[in-house]
Amino acid sequence: MNRKIRELKPYPMDRLVKAKEELRKKGVKIYDFGTGDPKEPTAPFIRETLKASVPEVSQYPTVKGKRELREAIAKWFKNRFNVELDPEREVIPSSGSKEAIFHFPLVFVDGDSGKRKVVFGTPAYPVYERGTLFAGGEPFKVKLKEEENFLLRLDKLPKSILEETALVWINYPHNPTGALAPLSYLRDTYDLCREYGIILCSDECYTEIYFQEPPPSLLQVGKEGAVVFHSLSKRSGLTGYRSGFVAGDKEIIQTYLKYRSSFGVASPDFIQEAARVAWLDEAHVRERREVFKEKKEVFEELFKELNLKHLPVKATFYFWVRLPEGVSSQDYALHLLKYGIVISPGEFFGEGGEGYFRIALVPSVKECKEAAAIWKRAHREFMEKVS
Ligand SMILES: Cc1ncc(COP(=O)(O)O)c(C=O)c1O
């Protein structure tokens, strides 16, 4: 067996799935705020497009993807971020962003060289670390701090680390904290990466879930040495379609394209057609934001009442909540689980997550309200027990 796989802990979400299954067997109603996979129905025009695009004869799709989809993505990017993308050389569709993130270091990290470090924050989406390990790179985790707005501060790392770094992952709006990065941060981080010859990867799958001014993209700062990863999963509620794209520096994109054919990740043509119409429509995305806003308000009220502190949710559909001093997030999560409420303990997202928990606004508005009522009782019971 591959030694690198043996060293990996189980994917955190797998543990949640098991616990939920056990509860379900016991007949407990489950309010799942664990995995970030909201349940709102897919917009009808996207489903109809998908159905109408299923061909009579099925043939292999290309890794490069359909020109029409790449053009739609470039058009969306120009409207949204005012950045021109060449649909021929600077965009590749992906099967969701997870696979594109996971596979990226396989192409761009040379595990035998002295420049094999991959830098990312903790807490973080676990795939940056997993992709690095499978590729033979060396993960270098930087603890993200609340007092620094959970920004990954490369300028605070020693020069020697930056010299040994092949890739840096940033992710704003950030999972799990919901933190945002201003354009000035993106510029400073970009400049530093240019100085050290580091590829800067920006996972931007939450840029469309916002409740104030729209967050920026790294490509607004520059394209050279920069790559962004986008997805329809969160923007359009298409997690099951597995559709996203990678864009940026044309040399990097073309090199990635060349080797992606080895991975077997080409997106089916009928998914690409559904993706094309999704990128060209904003109305369904606005509606989704409205629904998340309603759910968000339920929990803002709940956490205020329970005196639980959290970052203001300005983007993403996550609350990153600080537990009172001395309370273990695993114990708290296990207690809520008895009531059917599933949350993610902060350490699921790495060492930097200790002392916090994350909720994803996944259940319907009605279920969020039901869960909030149950949560109040469960929380008081827990606090009485530990005090
Ligand atoms: C930060 C982050 N990046 C990437 C992804 C992958 O999303 P998908 O593969 O559905 O596009 C997720 C999913 O939860 C995520 O939270």
Side-chain angles (χ1 to χ4, degrees):
M1 189 176 167
N2 183 336
R3 185 175 49 82
K4 287 169 203 129
I5 305 176
R6 258 188 278 142
E7 281 168 13
L8 284 170
K9 293 194 192 121
Y11 193 68
M13 296 303 167
D14 294 347
R15 280 187 259 159
L16 266 188
V17 171
K18 271 200 200 121
K20 276 187 283 179
E21 266 166 23
E22 278 160 27
L23 270 185
R24 227 174 247 129
K25 275 191 216 143
K26 286 190 199 152
V28 177
K29 172 152 186 186
I30 293 168
Y31 299 94
D32 189 353
F33 298 94
T35 309
D37 192 1
K39 285 190 190 155
E40 280 65 42
T42 302
F45 76 94
I46 300 177
R47 280 185 271 150
E48 292 310 320
T49 305
L50 175 81
K51 283 189 227 161
S53 311
V54 175
E56 199 177 332
V57 178
S58 162
Q59 295 201 286
Y60 286 119
T62 61
V63 178
K64 186 172 179 185
K66 292 173 70 173
R67 168 94 194 171
E68 294 86 338
L69 171 59
R70 285 181 275 112
E71 276 173 358
I73 290 169
K75 188 169 172 197
W76 174 76
F77 213 84
K78 169 76 183 154
N79 287 340
R80 172 66 175 82
F81 299 112
N82 199 23
V83 173
E84 304 271 358
L85 289 176
D86 173 359
E88 203 44 43
R89 292 184 302 164
E90 293 178 337
V91 182
I92 345 174
S94 61
S95 295
S97 53
K98 181 178 180 177
E99 64 81 4
I101 292 167
F102 177 82
H103 288 123
F104 197 79
L106 278 176
V107 179
F108 294 100
V109 176
D110 176 0
D112 297 325
S113 82
K115 203 169 167 65
R116 58 187 281 267
K117 283 193 171 52
V118 176
V119 175
F120 48 87
T122 174
Y125 181 56
V127 181
Y128 314 131
E129 178 172 19
R130 298 188 156 239
T132 304
L133 289 172
F134 274 82
E138 186 189 330
F140 188 89
K141 297 181 210 176
V142 179
K143 188 160 180 186
L144 306 181
K145 299 184 190 130
E146 191 162 344
E147 57 274 23
E148 290 174 348
N149 300 320
F150 294 108
L151 292 171
L152 171 53
R153 295 286 303 271
L154 288 186
D155 56 325
K156 296 207 165 168
L157 296 185
K159 238 176 125 175
S160 58
I161 299 290
L162 294 175
E163 279 162 0
E164 291 168 3
T165 298
L167 300 182
V168 169
W169 285 103
I170 55 171
N171 162 228
Y172 298 103
H174 182 238
N175 175 14
T177 66
L180 289 164
L183 199 60
S184 57
Y185 165 85
L186 297 177
R187 187 169 293 120
D188 293 347
T189 308
Y190 176 86
D191 288 345
L192 206 56
C193 286
R194 290 289 70 229
E195 193 183 327
Y196 285 88
I198 297 169
I199 299 179
L200 179 55
C201 298
S202 180
D203 175 355
E204 300 186 347
C205 71
Y206 292 102
T207 55
E208 303 318 291
I209 309 297
Y210 55 82
F211 309 102
Q212 50 161 43
E213 66 278 5
S217 166
L218 172 65
L219 298 188
Q220 285 171 245
V221 173
K223 275 189 207 160
E224 212 180 308
V227 187
V228 296
F229 297 74
H230 278 263
S231 171
L232 286 173
S233 290
K234 319 291 172 179
R235 174 186 181 269
S236 302
L238 294 182
T239 48
Y241 286 50
R242 314 307 304 124
S243 185
F245 70 86
V246 188
D249 184 313
K250 54 180 164 307
E251 275 177 30
I252 297 175
I253 295 294
Q254 288 311 300
T255 307
Y256 198 25
L257 178 61
K258 187 166 152 197
Y259 293 101
R260 274 173 65 77
S261 54
S262 317
F263 304 148
V265 288
S267 182
D269 286 349
F270 42 92
I271 296 287
Q272 290 192 52
E273 186 51 19
R276 185 184 71 79
V277 298
W279 285 115
L280 293 177
D281 181 75
E282 286 300 324
H284 74 287
V285 189
R286 275 195 294 273
E287 274 170 35
R288 276 175 72 69
R289 282 194 289 265
E290 280 310 305
V291 176
F292 290 130
K293 188 163 168 266
E294 234 185 296
K295 297 184 192 182
K296 176 172 97 82
E297 283 162 6
V298 173
F299 285 96
E300 278 167 348
E301 206 180 298
L302 173 73
F303 295 139
K304 193 169 164 203
E305 202 178 320
L306 300 183
N307 200 21
L308 287 174
K309 302 276 174 278
H310 60 83
L311 286 199
V313 181
K314 295 180 183 163
T316 75
F317 40 66
Y318 300 120
F319 275 80
W320 185 243
V321 188
R322 202 173 335 130
L323 279 162
E325 203 56 41
V327 171
S328 129
S329 60
Q330 297 259 6
D331 290 350
Y332 190 72
L334 284 173
H335 179 78
L336 289 183
L337 203 56
K338 285 194 264 173
Y339 291 83
I341 296 173
V342 182
I343 61 169
S344 305
E347 49 268 43
F348 273 22
F349 306 95
E351 307 86 278
E354 277 155 24
Y356 294 85
F357 67 84
R358 188 196 80 173
I359 67 160
L361 299 174
V362 169
S364 66
V365 176
K366 182 172 165 280
E367 286 174 324
C368 284
K369 289 181 180 161
E370 281 170 22
I374 299 170
W375 195 318
K376 254 181 240 175
R377 271 186 285 126
H379 178 83
R380 294 208 170 108
E381 194 187 283
F382 180 85
M383 293 314 287
E384 273 164 27
K385 223 168 55 182
V386 295
S387 63

